Amino acid sequence: MAEQRGAAREHQPEQPIELAGIFPVPDRRHGQQLCLDAGRALMLSGALLAIPIAFDPVDGVAAADANKRHALVGGFVAWILGVCLCLLGLTPAAAPWAVRAGAAIASTVLKFLSPPV
């Protein structure tokens, strides 16, 4: 009987395997920072596109006016999308799924805005 108790002490149950090195736990702060970075980039690019066009004098040519109008609307939309991404990055506790979706959009935006290396 003493031999059985000794054998039981030597045999320990298997420890659970930790897969932290293989599958890292997603960090919510990374998604937040990605949303904030992409939001800032979109806000800046939208403002840089819209502001000079908004204060440019009207030429009177219909084609040029239409192009300016499209660029102004595009800059405004980029700025609004940047604001939305920044707000998504600042509210992670309310909806973590929204931050993940925003991070996916943000990574696409940053890939599109960054030059190829």
Side-chain angles (χ1 to χ4, degrees):
M1 193 160 190
E3 293 173 0
Q4 290 176 353
R5 285 188 206 155
R9 286 185 194 144
E10 290 176 8
H11 177 66
Q12 296 178 356
E14 292 183 23
Q15 299 294 326
I17 299 171
E18 294 183 20
L19 299 176
I22 301 170
F23 300 108
V25 178
D27 188 12
R28 290 185 184 175
R29 287 178 285 149
H30 177 68
Q32 262 184 296
Q33 192 63 41
L34 195 60
C35 283
L36 287 173
D37 289 343
R40 287 184 213 132
L42 276 174
M43 286 173 57
L44 179 65
S45 62
L48 288 176
L49 181 66
I51 288 175
I53 293 169
F55 292 109
D56 194 27
V58 179
D59 293 338
V61 180
D65 289 342
N67 287 340
K68 287 180 183 179
R69 196 173 26 236
H70 288 299
L72 182 66
V73 169
F76 182 70
V77 167
W79 186 79
I80 290 294
L81 183 60
V83 169
C84 291
L85 281 175
C86 283
L87 289 176
L88 272 177
L90 294 176
T91 58
W97 59 269
V99 174
R100 287 192 301 266
I105 293 169
S107 65
T108 304
V109 165
L110 287 177
K111 285 178 187 174
F112 181 73
L113 289 177
S114 63
V117 178

